[in-house]
């Protein structure tokens, strides 16, 4: 290793130490990520300007810088299966009892999942219109990506027919699926988690003395996994610095501008989905103009706080006092909307990434089987996944490997997350309020019809 490369690495270590110092000052994760983006990009730019493309010093330096970047991506992959399994079990176990409550829950969740599917379609369309591509942004050089495309994977979801895809979702060996043995392992783990949660609920109903221990165990397991997620997310600034250093040092100006194109395209997709929300509430007799006027303060708070969970109290209050949604429906839609079917994080984002990265591994993103598989997987995997911090990234980390696609782009684009996540959070909250409004109006119509039928009888 040359002395020059060692000197460059010393500078990079200094950048990591600087980020660590800022982290100790209790800076917010958003600010730390931006610092990682700026310092990593600056380091990569200096390497490119001083040594030029293809210089062995850059290669020697990046070989060690990649230890940080790839290590961070590896940790993200590590937490996927535990996160999926525990989240699905907890989501089912925590559902409340009651027939009417079950009806409300079912309708609310259905609206959330349908709007997530619509948001995925919008994300796909916008990505195509803007001509976004992952070229130059994915792990490794273009040649490496093209070489990987030649490695056939007969069990890849996009290569299966719809019936074969549905059968492949069945968790015939859940322990093997927890190791990621198949391309459909993640969906299989989702199904296994749901079935396990249902079994747990049945045991709780049959043996009341076990209800408290089961709930305590699930709560403890979920808390541990969430803590693990937070530990990994704390490493994000360092991973971003390393990933951006590699991108800038090895990419052309057009590749860097591609990030800016992604930001603009994301906002366009989010805006279009807000229009869809307005159209949906208009179908149940609510004026879109009045609807957004009434929920605007809630959306503003969601935009600035970037937290769907923190917005729940305002969400519930606005639904009850402004939209005349019954308290039970308002509470359920706000709570479910913070964890299930988030239109921005679980719908638009993974759809855009999948369409961007598919061509790098030889997949036509406009192939009908690929599109149907992608929309179905996004809708299914959105259940219970997007509620964690960095939910959009974890939603993408579930969708991309399930489609047989590389996941590095999901980690890399965390660098521009703060610029997009504000609008995505506002869209998530709007989706929850849309679900509550639609559920309320539909159930009122059903009740009115039932009363009319009883009167006629």
């Amino acid at each position: 290793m040359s002395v020059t490369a060692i000197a460059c690495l010393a500078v990079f270590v200094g950048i990591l130490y600087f980020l660590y110092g800022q982290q100790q000052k209790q800076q917010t994760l958003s600010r730390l990520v931006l610092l990682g983006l700026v310092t990593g990009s600056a380091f990569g730019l200096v390497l490119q300007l001083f040594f030029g493309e293809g210089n062995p010093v850059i290669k020697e330096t990046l070989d060690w810088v990649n230890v940080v970047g790839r290590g961070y991506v590896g940790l993200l992959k590590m937490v996927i299966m535990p996160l999926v399994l525990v989240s699905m079990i907890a989501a089912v176990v925590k559902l409340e009892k009651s027939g009417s409550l079950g009806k409300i829950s079912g309708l609310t969740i259905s609206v959330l999942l349908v709007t997530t599917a619509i948001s995925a379609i919008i994300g796909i369309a916008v990505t195509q219109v803007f001509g976004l591509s992952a070229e130059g942004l994915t792990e490794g050089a273009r040649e490496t990506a093209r070489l990987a495309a030649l490695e056939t994977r007969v069990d890849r979801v996009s290569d299966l027919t719809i019936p074969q895809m549905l059968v492949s979702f069945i968790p015939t060996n859940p322990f093997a699926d927890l190791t990621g043995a198949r391309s459909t392992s993640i969906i299989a783990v989702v199904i296994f988690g749901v079935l396990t949660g249902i079994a747990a609920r049945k045991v709780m109903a049959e043996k009341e003395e076990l209800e408290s221990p089961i709930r305590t165990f699930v709560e403890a397991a979920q808390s541990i996994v969430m803590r693990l997620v937070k530990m990994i997310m704390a490493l994000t600034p360092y991973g971003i610095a390393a990933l951006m250093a590699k991108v800038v040092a090895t990419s052309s100006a057009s590749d860097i501008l591609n990030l800016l194109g992604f930001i603009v395209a994301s906002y366009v997709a989010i805006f279009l989905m807000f229009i869809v929300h307005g159209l949906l509430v208009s179908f149940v007799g609510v004026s879109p103009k009045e609807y957004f006027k009434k929920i605007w303060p809630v959306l503003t708070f969601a935009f600035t706080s970037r937290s769907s969970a923190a917005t729940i109290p305002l969400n519930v209050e606005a639904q009850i006092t402004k939209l005349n949604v019954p308290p039970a429906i308002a509470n359920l839609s706000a709570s479910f909307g913070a964890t299930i079917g988030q239109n921005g994080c679980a719908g638009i984002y993974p759809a855009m990434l999948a369409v961007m990265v598919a061509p790098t591994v030889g997949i036509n993103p406009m192939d009908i089987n690929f599109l149907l598989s992608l929309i179905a997987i996004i809708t299914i995997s959105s259940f219970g996944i997007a509620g964690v911090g960095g939910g959009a990234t974890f939603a993408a980390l579930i969708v991309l490997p399930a489609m047989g696609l590389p996941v590095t782009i999901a980690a890399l684009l965390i660098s521009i997350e703060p610029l997009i996540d504000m609008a995505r959070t506002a869209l998530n909250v709007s989706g929850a309020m849309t679900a509550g409004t639609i559920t309320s109006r539909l159930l009122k119509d059903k009740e009115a019809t039932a009363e009319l039928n009883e009167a006629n009888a």
Side-chain angles (χ1 to χ4, degrees):
M1 189 174 185
S2 67
V3 175
T4 307
I6 293 175
C8 292
L9 280 177
V11 173
F12 182 72
V13 171
I15 290 174
L16 297 182
Y17 184 77
F18 167 74
L19 293 174
Y20 176 76
Q22 294 300 306
Q23 196 171 49
Q24 294 304 302
K25 294 179 181 178
Q26 304 299 316
Q27 298 279 9
T28 63
L29 182 60
S30 299
R31 182 170 295 181
L32 290 171
V33 166
L34 286 175
L35 285 174
L37 166 66
V38 172
T39 53
S41 299
F43 178 71
L45 182 61
V46 169
L47 289 180
Q48 191 177 72
L49 293 177
F50 269 76
F51 302 106
E53 187 176 352
N55 192 295
V57 172
I58 293 181
K59 183 182 183 304
E60 286 181 324
T61 303
L62 292 183
D63 282 343
W64 287 95
V65 170
N66 285 341
V67 172
V68 178
R70 291 178 180 173
Y72 173 68
V73 174
L75 289 173
L76 287 175
K77 292 179 180 178
M78 175 192 74
V79 79
I80 291 175
M81 291 304 186
L83 176 65
V84 172
L85 180 61
V86 173
S87 294
M88 298 316 302
I89 294 175
V92 176
V93 168
K94 291 180 179 180
L95 286 177
E96 297 296 332
K97 302 176 183 178
S98 171
S100 60
L101 205 55
K103 185 187 299 182
I104 295 171
S105 301
L107 186 53
T108 302
I109 292 173
S110 296
V111 174
L112 287 170
L113 296 182
V114 168
T115 54
T116 299
I118 295 173
S119 67
I121 294 172
I122 289 177
I124 292 169
V126 169
T127 304
Q128 283 297 297
V129 170
F130 275 76
L132 296 180
S133 171
E135 292 285 5
L137 298 178
T138 52
E139 182 178 12
R142 291 179 176 84
E143 293 77 12
T144 304
R146 292 302 179 190
L147 179 63
L150 300 177
E151 299 176 2
T152 57
R153 294 179 59 185
V154 296
D155 63 338
R156 187 169 56 198
V157 172
S158 57
D159 291 335
L160 301 178
T161 64
I162 299 300
Q164 289 173 329
M165 179 188 70
L166 294 175
V167 172
S168 70
F169 289 166
I170 299 175
T172 54
N173 186 342
F175 296 102
D177 285 321
L178 284 170
T179 68
R182 302 182 295 155
S183 62
T184 55
S185 285
I186 294 174
I187 304 301
V189 171
V190 168
I191 294 174
F192 178 68
V194 171
L195 293 176
T196 302
I198 293 173
R201 287 185 63 86
K202 289 185 177 296
V203 171
M204 290 159 55
E206 295 167 355
K207 300 180 179 180
E208 293 185 2
E209 69 275 12
L210 294 180
E211 180 173 352
S212 179
I214 289 175
R215 289 188 182 276
T216 301
F217 173 77
V218 170
E219 185 69 32
Q222 189 176 35
S223 297
I224 292 172
V225 172
M226 292 303 104
R227 173 55 61 184
L228 178 60
V229 169
K230 289 181 180 179
M231 290 166 57
I232 295 173
M233 292 304 291
L235 301 176
T236 299
Y238 312 107
I240 289 305
L243 291 168
M244 288 306 299
K246 178 181 179 180
V247 167
V248 176
T250 60
S251 299
S252 63
S254 61
D255 292 330
I256 305 302
L257 290 175
N258 204 11
L259 286 173
L260 298 179
F262 182 79
I263 295 173
V264 174
S266 296
Y267 269 84
V268 169
I270 290 168
F271 176 74
L272 291 176
M273 196 59 205
F274 272 118
I275 294 177
V276 170
H277 288 171
L279 291 174
L280 290 175
V281 296
S282 71
F283 292 154
V284 291
V286 178
S287 167
K289 181 179 179 180
E290 290 299 314
Y291 172 75
F292 286 114
K293 182 178 179 180
K294 291 176 179 178
I295 70 172
W296 181 253
V298 183
L299 298 185
T300 302
F301 178 79
F303 186 88
T304 55
S305 68
R306 293 178 54 208
S307 174
S308 298
T311 312
I312 288 177
L314 292 176
N315 187 331
V316 173
E317 182 184 16
Q319 286 194 61
I320 295 173
T321 61
K322 303 293 185 181
L323 300 173
N324 297 319
V325 175
I329 297 177
N331 278 280
L332 281 171
S333 64
S335 300
F336 283 155
T339 56
I340 298 172
Q342 293 189 348
N343 293 178
C345 292
I348 290 175
Y349 187 70
M352 293 182 70
L353 295 195
V355 174
M356 287 173 64
V357 81
T360 68
V361 292
I363 297 175
N364 176 13
M366 289 296 99
D367 178 77
I368 188 63
N369 283 335
F370 176 85
L371 291 177
L372 292 177
S373 300
L374 178 61
I375 294 169
I377 288 173
I378 286 175
T379 303
I380 294 171
S381 63
S382 69
F383 189 92
I385 299 303
V388 302
T393 299
F394 285 101
L397 287 173
I398 290 168
V399 171
L400 294 179
M403 296 297 296
L405 302 173
V407 300
T408 304
I409 188 174
L412 177 61
L413 289 175
I414 294 178
S415 59
I416 55 175
E417 282 289 272
L419 301 175
I420 306 173
D421 196 45
M422 296 181 291
R424 270 202 317 244
T425 304
L427 181 63
N428 294 339
V429 173
S430 175
M433 302 180 83
T434 298
T437 302
I438 293 175
T439 299
S440 172
R441 297 303 188 276
L442 290 179
L443 290 181
K444 283 182 179 178
D445 289 344
K446 288 181 179 179
E447 290 174 1
T449 302
E451 291 177 0
L452 182 62
N453 290 335
E454 288 179 5
N456 292 335

